[in-house]
Amino acid sequence: QKEVEQDPGPLSVPEGAIVSLNCTYSNSAFQYFMWYRQYSRKGPELLMYTYSSGNKEDGRFTAQVDKSSKYISLFIRDSQPSDSATYLCAGSEAGNQFYFGTGTSLTVIP
Amino acid sequence: KAGVTQTPRYLIKTRGQQVTLSCSPISGHRSVSWYQQTPGQGLQFLFEYFSETQRNKGNFPGRFSGRQFSNSRSEMNVSTLELGDSALYLCASSLRPVDSPLHFGNGTRLTVT
């Protein structure tokens, strides 16, 4: 079993929709979580960095961590065509070696 | 502030050769990590360096090695290349070795023929 599991999609939504991206993890010791956006032929771009449980909001993005169910989510409000990319989640126990999901491909249709 | 810089962007090598990839971290970042990204496996951790010392190593064979210099720049080396080493190699820097997010470069795309 991989440390972090992520539905690969693809996910296709109309412009302006709320997008929900989800991951599950197996290691209950994970405390640090990250979400990245990766465009084709580019490196991952950090969107959110969270510690422990709860919600964190940054502009149109909200990250949610539920440690009781080992579930992490990223919500994108008012999605734009420029949000079309692959989204990666990651978790870590000590905040150094991170385990990544394989990514969810998102397309936002104008 | 300049981001993480990786060189070269693309490399084509033949089986059995060796290759060295370079990474310059964000100014002030002292921790550098390397990841391999493939379509099937996603991002897999190779190793992490801080203050010229390897702190963590992933589950890769000894053909994969790295080092960090006093200016925090890092290199990774892959010897005796195999076809399966074809991947995007990503370098990430962070301010501290723990409790600090990773900032990635655009990677080096290695193709082994």
Side-chain angles (χ1 to χ4, degrees), chain A residues 2 32 34 36 38 41-46 49 51 88 94-102, chain B residues 9-10 35 37 41-43 45 48 55-56 88 90 97-106:
Chain A
K2 285 180 70 71
Y32 299 89
M34 299 189 294
Y36 287 87
Q38 186 173 24
R41 287 185 289 278
K42 294 284 191 180
E45 171 194 359
L46 180 68
Y49 177 74
Y51 172 75
L88 301 163
N96 44 18
Q97 180 177 342
F98 280 86
Y99 295 88
F100 284 79
T102 49
Chain B
R9 286 296 312 275
Y10 302 94
Y35 286 79
Q37 186 176 30
Q41 298 295 318
L43 274 88
F45 174 75
E48 180 217 350
R55 285 171 34 90
N56 287 295
L88 181 66
L90 292 161
V98 294
D99 188 20
S100 186
L102 302 179
H103 297 269
F104 284 91
N106 283 325

Side-chain angles (χ1 to χ4, degrees), chain B residues 18-95:
Chain B
Q18 76 164 19
V19 66
T20 299
L21 313 180
S22 181
C23 171
S24 293
I26 291 171
S27 177
H29 285 197
R30 297 173 60 197
S31 180
V32 172
S33 301
W34 288 88
Y35 286 79
Q36 181 195 65
Q37 186 176 30
T38 57
Q41 298 295 318
L43 274 88
Q44 293 186 281
F45 174 75
L46 281 157
F47 24 67
E48 180 217 350
Y49 288 88
F50 176 74
S51 291
E52 302 179 64
T53 301
Q54 187 181 90
R55 285 171 34 90
N56 287 295
K57 189 177 192 306
N59 190 25
F60 277 82
R63 301 184 297 106
F64 291 81
S65 63
R67 60 178 175 168
Q68 186 181 34
F69 302 95
S70 59
N71 61 359
S72 296
R73 195 176 67 84
S74 178
E75 288 181 348
M76 70 163 278
N77 183 276
V78 188
S79 62
T80 319
L81 284 166
E82 300 177 359
L83 294 178
D85 296 334
S86 294
L88 181 66
Y89 289 89
L90 292 161
C91 170
S93 74
S94 58
L95 201 55

